[in-house]
Amino acid sequence: RRVHGVRARLCTAPLPRACVPHQRVAQIAQGVTYATVAPVANPADVNSAADFLIVFGSATPRTNVLAKLIAEMMAQPMFHQLRTVEALGYIVAVRAVTVCSVRCVRIVVQSAAHGPAYLAARVEAQIAACGELFAALSPEAFAKHVAALDLQLAESDKQLGQEAARLWAEIKSEELLFDRVARERAALAALTHAEMLTAYNELVCRSPLRRACVGLVCATAHPMPGPGDAGYDVIVEPARFADTQSLFPLFL
């Protein structure tokens, strides 16, 4: 009542939702893998890195579980091949991430032994190898991956702070899916092996539908990649490049 009284005296009103500023994500072109190239911030750092961000699309329960499932399925074979077998470096990580309500899979490889262009090439090769591995999965093996993710989704908050953080995250992101767990578990239960494989081949493997950007970070001891060394379209001025791209729709 007091708030309404103050608003009436000051002749103020909340901004319409369409006028509230929002963080937006550039919707980069399909079928092109862009790259940024930069030296390490600390010249004493001996590690180079390749940091992939592969876009799955705007936030929906189905998109979210697709990104999570594919990231979980990629993590072990990626780590085994690039970290254990090839010993590229200490860090080989694959996980699903969210950038302003846009779902992505992030792949990071860090190495003191090789430059970023080589690391990126090895990641691309392993992405293709994972596609063959996933295509050969038995129904029982796929069901195990789904059951493992479902178990993670169903895990309850162990502390009040975890519950509060989860709920505030919905408000901060403006997605407001307070029943997210139920929706994502339902989307996961409806997901088939064929649908997962199609999404992987179209969104993660190099294809006319993939949207991806790679950060190539180069240590002093490694040669700086040239414009065509990694086979990507290099972004020279990221801010100007972003201004030329369309934006993902708002989650309203």
Side-chain angles (χ1 to χ4, degrees):
R1 186 178 297 177
R2 290 181 180 178
V3 172
H4 290 305
V6 170
R7 283 178 178 169
R9 292 188 179 189
L10 296 177
C11 299
T12 63
L15 279 174
R17 191 163 187 179
C19 296
V20 176
H22 298 273
Q23 289 185 317
R24 303 287 295 277
V25 177
Q27 188 168 256
I28 57 178
Q30 292 179 312
V32 181
T33 299
Y34 294 98
T36 59
V37 181
V40 291
N42 179 6
D45 192 341
V46 298
N47 292 292
S48 290
D51 187 348
F52 283 69
L53 197 66
I54 300 172
V55 180
F56 273 57
S58 297
T60 65
R62 185 179 185 278
T63 302
N64 202 22
V65 295
L66 259 177
K68 288 180 178 180
L69 181 63
I70 287 175
E72 291 287 337
M73 292 175 67
M74 291 178 70
Q76 192 279 330
M78 275 276 186
F79 185 90
H80 173 72
Q81 180 62 33
L82 302 182
R83 172 71 175 87
T84 306
V85 177
E86 300 183 25
L88 292 185
Y90 185 73
I91 295 177
V92 175
V94 184
R95 63 191 182 99
V97 297
T98 302
V99 182
C100 299
S101 298
V102 175
R103 306 302 187 214
C104 308
V105 166
R106 186 182 184 190
I107 306 170
V108 180
V109 179
Q110 178 180 294
S111 173
H114 299 281
Y118 179 85
L119 300 178
R122 295 308 305 139
V123 170
E124 293 282 16
Q126 191 57 26
I127 285 175
C130 283
E132 296 175 3
L133 182 67
F134 298 160
L137 277 180
S138 67
E140 294 78 17
F142 178 72
K144 286 183 179 179
H145 285 291
V146 170
L149 178 56
D150 185 66
L151 194 62
Q152 291 182 28
L153 294 176
E155 186 175 354
S156 59
D157 300 313
K158 294 181 173 60
Q159 298 176 346
L160 186 60
Q162 289 178 318
E163 181 181 11
R166 177 173 55 81
L167 297 177
W168 273 112
E170 296 294 341
I171 296 171
K172 187 176 180 180
S173 69
E174 299 184 345
E175 294 182 34
L176 306 180
L177 293 180
F178 298 108
D179 58 345
R180 176 181 299 279
V181 171
R183 292 193 187 198
E184 290 189 356
R185 291 186 71 190
L188 180 62
L191 190 64
T192 66
H193 182 203
E195 290 172 333
M196 182 282 296
L197 196 59
T198 297
Y200 186 85
N201 290 331
E202 292 180 349
L203 304 179
V204 182
C205 295
R206 280 192 137 171
S207 78
L209 297 179
R210 184 171 87 163
R211 302 180 194 269
C213 188
V214 186
L216 302 176
V217 182
C218 192
T220 306
H222 299 143
M224 185 72 72
D229 287 354
Y232 303 134
D233 284 25
V234 176
I235 301 170
V236 179
E237 297 182 63
R240 181 171 294 181
F241 170 80
D243 288 341
T244 66
Q245 305 300 301
S246 59
L247 300 176
F248 273 99
L250 286 171
F251 191 95
L252 296 176

